[in-house]
Amino acid sequence: MSDAVLYEAADHVAVITLNRPDNRNSMTADLLDAFRQAVRKAQSDGDLRCVVITGNGNCFSAGADFKAQLQREGTTRKLQPHERSYAMYEPFLSVLDIEVPVIAALNGHAVGGGFGLALVCDLRIAAREARYGANFARLGLHAGMAISYLLPRIIGPVRAAELLFTGRLIDGREAEEIGLMSRVVPADEVKTTALAMAKTIAQNAPIAVRMMKKT
């Protein structure tokens, strides 16, 4: 079986690729473990100036795979339910600890936890016809992946409330209109556009960019 997550770095830019297209790059144990390792590589590489996160196939990530056992138990004690949920989301949330700018190259649909992964990135390049959103309310679940914290800060509390309460998915055009996306392009141009933006960032003074991200 091919690697669940691919990692490559060149010219000060790293690309992390979710590589389970047959399962819509859903959050399975093997993908989450591999993603955590990829983020650690990015965090430890002092030569990086930008990171791009994308997916293979027509989905960026469809979120949790409900057929998989994702909520982990502790090694020394039994974890509380909220602790098990955090352990599941922690690999995606670790993107927040990357010190250089992170661009989400949303090659396709990003839903639920996959939508949350897009939100923890600093910039988002979206596919025009793909669908984006947090459908937790339709599944009888509270929004996870820090979405209820991040989404209002990105698009405002009123628009965030509408998306969270209805569970409605929006296309790339609407996502750009409400300020959710940095740029919206045809699906086959997403990665190229993201890499061009990453190259522009990488050409700037790296310490200044890191400090601006930190502040």
Side-chain angles (χ1 to χ4, degrees), residues 75-126:
T75 56
T76 59
R77 64 178 177 85
K78 184 176 178 62
L79 299 180
Q80 297 297 312
H82 69 281
E83 292 176 311
R84 293 199 301 273
S85 293
Y86 177 78
M88 173 180 64
Y89 288 125
E90 189 274 333
F92 279 3
L93 289 171
S94 67
V95 171
L96 292 167
D97 297 323
I98 297 176
E99 295 182 355
V100 299
V102 181
I103 303 172
L106 303 172
N107 53 293
H109 312 302
V111 181
F115 181 64
L117 176 58
L119 296 187
V120 298
C121 298
D122 302 295
L123 302 167
R124 287 165 290 280
I125 310 298

Side-chain angles (χ1 to χ4, degrees), residues 152-166:
R153 286 161 174 78
I154 296 171
I155 64 173
V158 174
R159 286 195 172 104
E162 178 195 341
L163 293 184
L164 290 173
F165 297 163
T166 64

